[in-house]
Amino acid sequence: MSLNPTTGLWPASKFGEDVIIGVIDTGIWPESPSFSDHGMMYTSKLPSKWKGTCQEGQDFNSSLCNSKLIGARYFDKGVKAANPNVTLTMNSARDTQGHGTHTSSTAAGNYVEGASYFGYANGVARGMAPRARVAMYKVIWDEGRYASDVLAGMDQAVADGVDIISISMGFDEVPLYEDPVAIASFGAMEKGILVSSSAGNVGLRGGPLHNGIPWVLTVAAGNFDRTYAASLTLGDNKEKEQHVIVGRSMFPLNAWVKDETLIYNKTLSKCDSLKLLSEAPPRGIIVCDDTGFLDDQMDVIDSVTNLAGAIFASTDPSRFDLESMSCPGVLISTTELDTVIDYIKSSDNPTATIKFQQTVTGKEVASSVADYTSRGPSPNCPAVLKPDVMAPGSLVLASWIPNGYTATVGTNTLLSSEGFHLISGTSMACPHASGVAALLRGAHREWSHAAIRSAMMTTANELDSSMMAIKDVGRNFTAASPLAMGAGHVVPNKAMDPGLVYDAAPQDYVSLLCSMNFTRNQIMTITRSNGYDCSESSSLDLNYPSFVAFYDKNVTTGVMLTHRFRRVVTNVGGAGARYEVKVVAPEGVKVTVWPKSLAFEKKNEQRDYNVEIVYPSDGKGRVLYGSIVWVEESGKHAVRSPIVVAPTSAGK
């Protein structure tokens, strides 16, 4: 994320000081050191607008709140109505699942030294906005999740005076007027509160993203350049040369498999037979071939008691998001496997040592789109390109409940002894973006929700750390489209000074709803107000920092279609700024922008421009993408918006 304690967004925002993040989730573990107010005693006075409370309940006293965790509430009317005779396992804001504790600490956790997951990712843990305040709204129960509880929790967060709402969940296959997140977030938007939400975790398996809501920030998940590893050393220390291979592992014990015999033969090394492996020489390290069934191989090895360890292989280990490894094993590449096999064949006594709890940074390219992240377009409103941005989501270290199982060794389960856990999902990406939004709110109190979202989108990076296009793991590492990553990976320091922003007001969203063939009652269900109507012009063309045009792939190939857009940008940079447009047109698509330059005499001045996209109906159903970039003459700002041309079936 490139945040720096001495320059950039962190110090500019005072690390999120006095910004309030409301988290809608499974509750919180208030005793976690991430929610200590150490270093936050600069004032005992809470923000004057704060109207929340620390609601008492089962195993939760009001004294558990402090200057960091300033509020905690729980909402159980829905779950109780649906289950009249239910006895809730924890009828309070206390977390029993870990999810809410993890997301809260990711967004705004305090500094915790010596944090790790069984020795992996050891270091100082901190949230994106470490001096922001946290308020928890528990709406998810062991007994279920109900829309009425989610709606009530979000509404209360708005009433309490939060600045940002972070919600790492969503409702699938419901229209906007039946989606509690859409309804509640509209009310939040009216109050200037940005709602940051997760895109979902169905990947390419089927089904589009959730939270494709025009007035929220929708966050996809990416991988980053920290891997958890074990070192595999071929040969013992008596040999003249030892070959060391660093592979992937999440085995949770501080242990060595030292100088054990390597076992490899074509029968055993399929690693698919418990009976055969149980007859293998004792205390050996089995070398498994790449059969394409890694999970099955690991399950078999887990059940074998006579082996000291295992070596697994894959053509591309980076494809596997190993959240656990219950056997003392290591995953290496097939090229490295060939090295191991060659060593075995050339040695009279082939041995190896495996050392666990290694953490490697900077070895792999950052970032890439995680294969599990849900893809756009939005099923609820395809006219607005979703997701918006991508943030780190894979194997994120954050706080966890101390009584929750986090690892297994064989058939034994282990508790989170350090109080931290490494897990993956867009649920983990969302609070990263929520924390960045909180920092931007701290640095720019005058910005609207849409300005914050725009700043994050137009400064996002579409290139990885090797300066190549971000790759999509789910599509065999081909270049990622905006339907997978939105505008790209969020860059907090650039978002602090975007140059231009695309703003939007409540009536703009109502105009969008009016163009979607909703009834008046359906629109009023979303707005919960009769103060809006469709008498003003309705348009699907929302003033948004992206462009999407669709075609029917069943229409005759070669038919040319035209889509026109109008956008208004606001200068939040310096006076006397002049921008020139740069167009990167999708393949076979003509993009015309007019005017080609925009001049601003002063700050907060607005200018509009028009875009025409002429594109073919592609019988192959391809997703084509490019961008429009407004480049300041001084070179200080480049305001980039993605363009997508896609079939109407994209994302299905």
Side-chain angles (χ1 to χ4, degrees):
M1 302 294 280
S2 300
L3 287 164
N4 188 301
T6 58
T7 62
L9 185 54
W10 259 352
S13 66
K14 297 182 179 180
F15 301 85
E17 181 177 307
D18 274 352
V19 178
I20 305 169
I21 302 177
V23 183
I24 315 297
D25 218 300
T26 64
I28 197 164
W29 195 269
E31 295 90 351
S32 166
S34 291
F35 308 119
S36 163
D37 60 5
H38 177 73
M40 297 183 67
M41 303 303 292
Y42 46 81
T43 176
S44 59
K45 185 178 180 181
L46 298 180
S48 59
K49 67 173 186 172
W50 176 243
K51 299 178 179 62
T53 188
C54 197
Q55 183 180 1
E56 294 197 342
Q58 183 180 351
D59 294 341
F60 203 108
N61 298 321
S62 60
S63 61
L64 291 171
C65 290
N66 55 28
S67 293
K68 163 60 75 173
L69 178 61
I70 64 172
R73 296 183 188 261
Y74 57 100
F75 301 84
D76 58 7
K77 290 182 179 180
V79 66
K80 287 181 175 178
N83 305 277
N85 298 318
V86 70
T87 298
L88 299 177
T89 55
M90 184 59 66
N91 197 20
S92 71
R94 184 171 292 279
D95 191 2
T96 57
Q97 300 180 27
H99 191 274
T101 300
H102 198 281
T103 56
S104 300
S105 59
T106 300
N110 208 339
Y111 300 86
V112 181
E113 295 187 2
S116 76
Y117 171 77
F118 296 103
Y120 294 98
N122 185 49
V124 179
R126 64 180 75 80
M128 295 304 300
R131 288 293 182 252
R133 318 276 190 158
V134 175
M136 170 54 65
Y137 299 83
K138 179 176 177 178
V139 301
I140 302 176
W141 302 87
D142 294 343
E143 294 74 18
R145 180 197 68 172
Y146 293 88
S148 60
D149 290 336
V150 174
L151 181 61
M154 293 183 70
D155 280 350
Q156 189 62 59
V158 174
D160 284 348
V162 303
D163 296 293
I164 304 294
I165 289 178
S166 183
I167 180 165
S168 289
M169 71 173 104
F171 290 78
D172 296 319
E173 299 180 0
V174 292
L176 292 174
Y177 52 83
E178 293 180 2
D179 186 345
V181 179
I183 296 167
S185 61
F186 192 94
M189 174 271 298
E190 289 181 300
K191 298 293 186 181
I193 300 167
L194 175 73
V195 176
S196 172
S197 66
S198 56
N201 301 318
V202 300
L204 296 169
R205 297 191 303 273
L209 55 74
H210 56 219
N211 294 324
I213 303 163
W215 43 88
V216 309
L217 178 73
T218 311
V219 187
N223 305 310
F224 54 105
D225 59 350
R226 183 172 66 191
T227 56
Y228 309 108
S231 59
L232 170 65
T233 303
L234 304 180
D236 58 30
N237 56 16
K238 297 177 183 178
E239 299 189 26
K240 293 182 180 180
E241 294 185 10
Q242 291 181 304
H243 190 87
V244 179
I245 297 170
V246 178
R248 292 181 173 235
S249 183
M250 287 285 282
F251 186 63
L253 297 185
N254 183 14
W256 287 40
V257 176
K258 188 172 178 62
D259 296 336
E260 299 292 353
T261 300
L262 289 166
I263 303 169
Y264 180 78
N265 67 63
K266 284 295 183 181
T267 301
L268 288 179
S269 292
K270 291 180 182 178
C271 294
D272 60 355
S273 170
L274 177 60
K275 181 178 184 301
L276 289 175
L277 288 169
S278 298
E279 298 170 356
R283 295 298 306 163
I285 300 173
I286 185 67
V287 179
C288 299
D289 280 324
D290 176 21
T291 63
F293 298 97
L294 178 63
D295 290 341
D296 294 339
Q297 289 179 321
M298 288 185 177
D299 289 342
V300 171
I301 298 298
D302 279 346
S303 302
V304 178
T305 59
N306 57 306
L307 294 172
I311 298 171
F312 304 100
S314 168
T315 53
D316 190 355
S318 65
R319 291 182 63 90
F320 292 92
D321 184 15
L322 294 177
E323 290 194 6
S324 64
M325 185 176 281
S326 57
C327 65
V330 58
L331 174 64
I332 63 177
S333 70
T334 50
T335 301
E336 292 164 333
L337 176 64
D338 291 340
T339 300
V340 174
I341 295 172
D342 289 344
Y343 163 69
I344 293 171
K345 291 179 178 179
S346 66
S347 175
D348 295 331
N349 182 32
T351 62
T353 295
I354 307 174
K355 184 179 180 181
F356 301 99
Q357 295 183 334
Q358 310 288 304
T359 302
V360 180
T361 58
K363 183 179 179 181
E364 296 189 359
V365 172
S367 298
S368 58
V369 176
D371 60 351
Y372 56 79
T373 194
S374 297
R375 315 304 168 101
S378 165
N380 294 330
C381 184
V384 177
L385 180 61
K386 293 287 180 171
D388 294 313
V389 292
M390 181 176 76
S394 296
L395 293 177
V396 173
L397 182 78
S399 291
W400 199 251
I401 56 175
N403 57 353
Y405 295 115
T406 58
T408 58
V409 176
T411 58
N412 300 308
T413 53
L414 304 179
L415 296 175
S416 173
S417 58
E418 296 95 342
F420 286 82
H421 198 2
L422 285 165
I423 57 176
S424 301
T426 56
S427 283
M428 287 62 254
C430 169
H432 278 88
S434 307
V436 173
L439 296 173
L440 291 171
R441 168 62 73 222
H444 296 286
R445 290 285 181 176
E446 75 282 7
W447 280 7
S448 69
H449 79 285
I452 293 174
R453 179 181 59 202
S454 174
M456 294 172 70
M457 291 176 65
T458 61
T459 59
N461 200 343
E462 81 276 27
L463 304 179
D464 61 26
S465 57
S466 68
M467 300 306 294
M468 301 294 289
I470 288 175
K471 304 301 189 295
D472 188 340
V473 176
R475 294 191 181 277
N476 296 315
F477 290 88
T478 55
S481 88
L483 293 180
M485 67 174 183
H489 195 283
V490 64
V491 183
N493 290 329
K494 286 187 176 180
M496 179 177 66
D497 183 19
L500 306 175
V501 296
Y502 294 77
D503 214 341
Q507 182 60 51
D508 297 316
Y509 298 111
V510 173
S511 296
L512 174 69
L513 294 173
C514 292
S515 68
M516 295 176 65
N517 296 321
F518 290 161
T519 67
R520 176 177 171 79
N521 285 339
Q522 288 168 342
I523 293 174
M524 287 183 62
T525 299
I526 297 169
T527 64
R528 292 184 285 183
S529 168
N530 58 10
Y532 303 107
D533 60 48
C534 294
S535 60
E536 296 190 27
S537 61
S538 62
S539 173
L540 285 170
D541 190 18
L542 181 67
N543 194 44
Y544 214 77
S546 57
F547 303 86
V548 60
F550 292 99
Y551 64 87
D552 185 346
K553 68 178 181 180
N554 297 316
V555 174
T556 305
T557 302
V559 173
M560 300 304 291
L561 306 170
T562 300
H563 199 130
R564 294 183 178 88
F565 306 83
R566 178 180 176 271
R567 292 291 186 268
V568 178
V569 288
T570 303
N571 176 31
V572 295
R578 184 179 179 86
Y579 289 80
E580 300 289 335
V581 71
K582 175 186 175 183
V583 175
V584 180
E587 178 187 349
V589 175
K590 182 181 179 182
V591 179
T592 305
V593 179
W594 72 95
K596 297 186 179 300
S597 63
L598 300 174
F600 300 88
E601 296 180 0
K602 55 187 179 181
K603 190 174 181 178
N604 296 323
E605 197 169 24
Q606 294 185 331
R607 292 288 182 267
D608 67 296
Y609 68 93
N610 299 278
V611 178
E612 182 181 81
I613 300 177
V614 180
Y615 56 101
S617 179
D618 187 319
K620 298 179 181 178
R622 294 181 300 168
V623 175
L624 309 172
Y625 53 92
S627 62
I628 291 174
V629 188
W630 288 100
V631 181
E632 191 175 5
E633 283 186 339
S634 66
K636 184 177 181 180
H637 299 109
V639 186
R640 187 178 63 87
S641 296
I643 302 170
V644 170
V645 174
T648 52
S649 59
K652 296 181 180 178

